[in-house]
Amino acid sequence: MKTISQVAKITGISTRTLQYYDEIDLLKPSKTTDSGYRLYDDEALEKLQQILFFKELGFQLKEIKEILEKPDFDKIKAFKKQKELLYLRRNRTDRLISLLDRLEKGETCMSFKEFDLSEYIEALEDFKSNQTEEIIKHWGSIENFDMFIQKIRDDEERVARSAIQEFGSIENYTKAVKYNLEHFSEIMEGKLSQIPEEMKNEDKFLKLASHKGEDVASDSIQNMVKEIIAYARGSSVSEFIEDDEHFCNIIIGTYSNDYLKKIFDTKYGEGSCDYIVEAFRCYSKNKCS
């Protein structure tokens, strides 16, 4: 057992901080003597170590308390995750120091790779862990959301550049993203409610996709494509459509995108996007040339 003064000495934490941890039930002493002295055993010190790791990674005390109180909390898994995050932070710091070295020497460096998005990506990963139902509802599946995160990882420098241009810093961008994720359901419902009825054209694509396996050149399929185009040309989005060929190219490009294709195929069924693309490509070839 160690007294509160001894713990403060070996950890560098003030006794007042340890008392506060006790008051908020974050770290209770293992035993309190009759005289009121707090004593800490190895298990308590191990928990304190976890708290300090989480604090170092930017977690608030309230968040740390919630994490440690979870019945399925796995400290070994937590150690691995903390180590991974610290490596990311170290690598980011090394890149920033290297950039400052070059700037100090008078070099002109317009690279944005030093401003990594690890905290932003971590926020997305946390959202995935805690909001599974919302992800499935709006992305179609967890796998689709994983693909979304991977695209950010693959194009991190461009995303970072855009984030800095729009928000001034990665930190401001991450704060905005965290807010949006915390209020994701309300934001999505609000956006959906703002979509004009004439733009809710999904049922027509679903109808077209339900015929996959039929010849895309058949009159019935081509009439469905024609109906979709006519519907779009008569809607509020018509100002963005130059002509039928332009609209066909938009649809072909949209439904050929790997990320969107994965989402739509989850809704319409495997192979649906390829079928829609072929139907519009056939229409474009025969009607727009």
Side-chain angles (χ1 to χ4, degrees):
M1 290 278 191
K2 288 182 171 57
T3 65
I4 190 169
S5 298
Q6 291 173 323
V7 173
K9 185 176 181 179
I10 64 175
T11 62
I13 300 173
S14 68
T15 56
R16 180 65 193 102
T17 297
L18 290 168
Q19 290 168 355
Y20 179 65
Y21 288 174
D22 182 7
E23 292 167 10
I24 64 173
D25 294 329
L26 177 61
L27 179 69
K28 305 295 290 184
S30 308
K31 182 180 178 182
T32 303
T33 67
D34 294 338
S35 303
Y37 290 103
R38 295 173 174 86
L39 299 175
Y40 298 84
D41 61 14
D42 289 344
E43 185 178 348
L45 291 177
E46 188 177 280
K47 185 175 182 180
L48 176 57
Q49 188 180 58
Q50 273 290 334
I51 292 169
L52 295 180
F53 272 126
F54 279 120
K55 274 196 67 182
E56 180 65 28
L57 292 167
F59 285 82
Q60 300 298 313
L61 294 181
K62 181 182 177 181
E63 296 173 320
I64 297 172
K65 188 171 183 291
E66 290 174 354
I67 292 170
L68 295 178
E69 287 179 349
K70 284 184 177 179
D72 59 346
F73 176 71
D74 184 336
K75 64 181 181 182
I76 300 301
K77 185 177 180 181
F79 285 142
K80 291 180 179 179
K81 190 65 177 177
Q82 288 165 342
K83 183 173 73 172
E84 178 186 339
L85 291 172
L86 286 170
Y87 273 133
L88 287 171
R89 176 172 288 185
R90 185 185 71 178
N91 292 339
R92 180 186 184 190
T93 301
D94 288 344
R95 290 199 298 271
L96 288 172
I97 291 172
S98 177
L99 174 61
L100 288 170
D101 282 341
R102 298 200 302 275
L103 292 172
E104 191 178 15
K105 293 175 183 177
E107 296 181 25
T108 301
C109 303
M110 295 305 294
S111 170
F112 286 85
K113 66 178 181 297
E114 291 80 10
F115 303 93
D116 72 86
L117 298 172
S118 55
E119 188 177 355
Y120 165 53
I121 293 173
E122 182 64 23
L124 294 177
E125 292 285 1
D126 287 342
F127 179 68
K128 182 180 73 174
S129 300
N130 299 318
Q131 299 292 336
T132 303
E133 291 184 7
E134 287 295 325
I135 287 175
I136 293 174
K137 177 180 177 182
H138 295 288
W139 268 270
S141 70
I142 295 297
E143 289 72 23
N144 292 342
F145 193 71
D146 282 335
M147 186 181 293
F148 167 65
I149 294 176
Q150 188 57 47
K151 278 187 171 291
I152 293 173
R153 293 183 190 275
D154 294 342
D155 204 11
E156 187 171 333
E157 186 173 344
R158 183 191 62 77
V159 176
R161 187 186 301 114
S162 298
I164 293 171
Q165 288 173 346
E166 184 174 354
F167 291 87
S169 69
I170 296 297
E171 288 73 18
N172 289 340
Y173 177 58
T174 302
K175 286 179 182 177
V177 168
K178 284 184 175 179
Y179 176 86
N180 289 341
L181 292 176
E182 288 171 3
H183 300 83
F184 182 77
S185 183
E186 307 99 280
I187 291 171
M188 287 303 298
E189 292 303 325
K191 286 184 177 181
L192 289 173
S193 67
Q194 294 171 12
I195 298 176
E197 286 300 319
E198 64 267 22
M199 289 180 64
K200 295 180 180 178
N201 203 14
E202 186 174 5
D203 58 332
K204 291 179 170 51
F205 285 102
L206 183 58
K207 179 182 176 183
L208 175 59
S210 69
H211 288 267
K212 60 179 177 287
E214 297 182 25
D215 184 359
V216 294
S218 67
D219 290 340
S220 61
I221 298 301
Q222 288 301 297
N223 283 336
M224 287 184 203
V225 173
K226 187 176 180 179
E227 181 184 345
I228 292 173
I229 294 174
Y231 186 88
R233 295 296 295 273
S235 74
S236 61
V237 299
S238 59
E239 60 181 294
F240 302 106
I241 304 172
E242 297 173 7
D243 51 35
D244 287 3
E245 183 176 13
H246 180 231
F247 183 76
C248 285
N249 288 335
I250 291 174
I251 298 302
I252 291 170
T254 300
Y255 282 81
S256 296
N257 178 281
D258 286 342
Y259 169 57
L260 295 175
K261 183 177 176 181
K262 184 104 174 163
I263 293 177
F264 292 141
D265 271 2
T266 302
K267 293 182 178 181
Y268 304 151
E270 194 68 32
S272 295
C273 284
D274 289 338
Y275 186 74
I276 291 171
V277 166
E278 288 307 311
F280 273 86
R281 186 170 283 139
C282 179
Y283 183 92
S284 179
K285 180 180 178 182
N286 296 324
K287 305 293 183 181
C288 304
S289 56

